[in-house]
Amino acid sequence: MENNPKLSIYNTLSREKEVFVPLHAPHVGMYVCGPTVYGDPHLGHARPAITFDVLFRYLQHLGYKVRYVRNITDVGHLEHDADSGEDKIAKKARLEQIEPMEVVQYYTLRYHAAMQALNVLPPSIEPHASGHIIEQIAMVQQILDNGYAYVSEGSVYFDVVKYNLNHAYGILSNRNIDDMLNTTRELDGQEEKHHPVDFALWKKAQPEHIMRWPSPWSDGFPGWHCECTAMSKKYLGEHFDIHGGGMDLIFPHHECEIAQAVASQGSEMVHYWMHNNMITVNGQKMGKSLGNFITLEQFFTGHHPLLTQAFSAMTIRFFILQAHYRSTVDFSNEALQASEKGLERMLEAYARLQHLTASPASTVDVKGLRRRCEEAMCDDLNTPVVISNLFDANKAINTVADGKGTLSGEDIEELKTTYKLFIEDILGLQQENVADKSKDAYRKAIDLLLNIRLQAKQNKDWATSDRIRNELTEYGFTIKDTKEGFEWSV
């Protein structure tokens, strides 16, 4: 590792790039906040998964032994805010009249399938919050014993004001507690808190609450912020290297994690905090109320009013990697179509590289590609620059493949190993397999038929319209007309 370039990463805590120095090299501990599994995986799940997958891959390339922990939130994430409302998973279970763990299992499997399609490597450990209630209760008790929490009507709250007298609350988000006290609104049902900024460590369950466990204070459930602190400590120790997640988690979730760690063990746990930026859709924040909430499955099938076609998982991955992880990403059909073409060009050049014939000497310059890509990755995972460097090399490959230049055998072999390393091993990009292409062609063929039917309806050609619908129905398709056009399934 001494001969490798030094990786610099932006530490949200210090607000500057820092050279990465593991606490216990060659071992690295990394914890990333995973999904709350009560709905289909969407773009907000894809970006942190891909960002920290690339970091995981690159750390391993540098020679580190990485223990990567990514949690599953399956209890304690409430509807209204971190401390009030109904548990999101329990609500889904109540509405569908099934067990909460059926909801968890169903959406966890769908999340895993989406991650596999995106070629996101599985973490070393994937703990569930509901499987670590004992650890969370023990941590809450430590915080109580140290005087930074209080029991109120069977619930336990973190005393933010008292904690701030001895430690700095707000160091990650750079928030001032006096400003928070002045601007935090009172919420219904929060009278049991000493201060509005206090947050729940343990909540007493109401009679109708499905998910509950016994504790010294009440039958209840842990606060949302507890799980990550307790589970990261269990699997990575009291001090570990990297904690990551989306920028939306900086406050309150990660801020509360820091406070819980210091209040329970007397010191901060995490050396480097890393956060990926947000995703927008056509310039707007993604949200169901805006009608621009698109699941990954909808991207893969093209079945959403805002989509003009289906986009493959590799196109989604490539598009995300074309932007630096700390910059915003705006999804649009035009941008995704451009990424689709760019990925095709890169993979075509990679395929052509495999069939180049060596010459005694090179007449095109490909020297230094690996070094430039390494330098970009070491500069806070600058994947856009890596991709740009590879596109520059594509020109040389195509020049030689078209018979307008030559490459020596040594240069060809260096290109092959560099392309494999950065395209496959680090960026995690793959050629779409034949099955995926067949499915895509199949979807496009059905969409073409239904668009012909739509045009026939507009022309009042009812015979053609009815024939397409009836025959597809006989073949096992379900067709639904919508305001935007149509939806179909098998």
Side-chain angles (χ1 to χ4, degrees), residues 86 90 94 205-212:
E86 189 174 6
R94 176 177 57 79
Q206 297 303 310
E208 67 277 7
H209 199 94
I210 305 173
M211 303 172 78
R212 59 173 67 217

Side-chain angles (χ1 to χ4, degrees), residues 191-211:
E191 299 85 359
E192 57 196 46
K193 291 185 181 183
H194 290 178
H195 301 281
V197 293
D198 294 348
F199 59 89
L201 298 172
W202 184 265
K203 287 288 289 181
K204 180 181 179 180
Q206 297 303 310
E208 67 277 7
H209 199 94
I210 305 173
M211 303 172 78

Side-chain angles (χ1 to χ4, degrees), residues 458-475:
Q458 291 170 353
N459 295 336
K460 297 186 179 181
D461 180 1
W462 309 118
T464 301
S465 170
D466 291 345
R467 182 185 175 190
I468 292 173
R469 182 187 183 99
N470 293 340
E471 291 196 20
L472 284 176
T473 300
E474 284 182 19
Y475 299 151

Side-chain angles (χ1 to χ4, degrees), residues 29 53 58-59 63 67 83 107 110 179 181 227 291 432 468:
D53 179 60
Y58 195 61
L59 287 170
R67 178 176 288 178
D83 295 337
Y107 287 111
R110 291 180 71 80
D179 292 340
L181 285 169
E227 60 179 284
E432 305 287 352
I468 292 173

Side-chain angles (χ1 to χ4, degrees), residues 149-362:
Y150 55 89
V151 180
S152 178
E153 299 180 27
S155 295
V156 183
Y157 291 97
F158 191 95
D159 194 330
V160 172
V161 175
K162 186 174 181 181
Y163 172 84
N164 195 60
L165 294 175
N166 301 316
H167 309 282
Y169 183 79
I171 58 172
L172 187 65
S173 59
N174 203 26
R175 298 195 181 201
N176 181 287
I177 190 169
D178 292 328
D179 292 340
M180 284 189 276
L181 285 169
N182 291 331
T183 57
T184 303
R185 62 188 177 91
E186 293 284 355
L187 295 171
D188 292 339
Q190 300 296 292
E191 299 85 359
E192 57 196 46
K193 291 185 181 183
H194 290 178
H195 301 281
V197 293
D198 294 348
F199 59 89
L201 298 172
W202 184 265
K203 287 288 289 181
K204 180 181 179 180
Q206 297 303 310
E208 67 277 7
H209 199 94
I210 305 173
M211 303 172 78
R212 59 173 67 217
W213 291 265
S215 79
W217 318 289
S218 64
D219 278 5
F221 54 93
W224 169 43
H225 309 306
C226 285
E227 60 179 284
C228 291
T229 311
M231 292 191 295
S232 61
K233 183 184 295 190
K234 178 179 177 68
Y235 295 111
L236 299 174
E238 291 190 348
H239 303 97
F240 61 93
D241 299 293
I242 298 169
H243 194 318
M247 196 171 284
D248 56 321
L249 296 177
I250 292 176
F251 188 88
H253 186 49
H254 289 165
E255 197 72 76
C256 293
E257 278 197 62
I258 291 176
Q260 288 170 163
V262 174
S264 61
Q265 68 184 36
S267 59
E268 293 181 30
M269 294 174 67
V270 181
H271 192 181
Y272 302 92
W273 287 91
M274 294 182 66
H275 296 89
N276 61 272
N277 212 323
M278 297 294 97
I279 286 174
T280 56
V281 178
N282 294 319
Q284 289 184 305
K285 184 178 179 181
M286 188 173 65
K288 291 182 179 179
S289 62
L290 297 172
N292 65 358
F293 186 87
I294 309 176
T295 68
L296 291 174
E297 180 67 17
Q298 288 170 326
F299 271 105
F300 301 159
T301 62
H303 291 160
H304 190 280
L306 293 180
L307 297 175
T308 58
Q309 66 176 81
F311 294 99
S312 72
M314 284 301 102
T315 298
I316 300 294
R317 184 176 181 110
F318 183 68
F319 181 73
I320 287 174
L321 293 175
Q322 281 186 295
H324 191 271
Y325 78 91
R326 288 195 289 114
S327 65
T328 56
V329 169
D330 185 55
F331 278 78
S332 67
N333 281 286
E334 295 76 18
L336 284 168
Q337 287 163 351
S339 287
E340 187 175 56
K341 292 176 182 176
L343 178 61
E344 284 177 3
R345 290 199 307 271
M346 178 178 288
L347 294 179
E348 283 171 5
Y350 187 20
R352 298 185 89 183
L353 171 61
Q354 310 309 314
H355 303 289
L356 293 185
T357 301
S359 297
S362 298

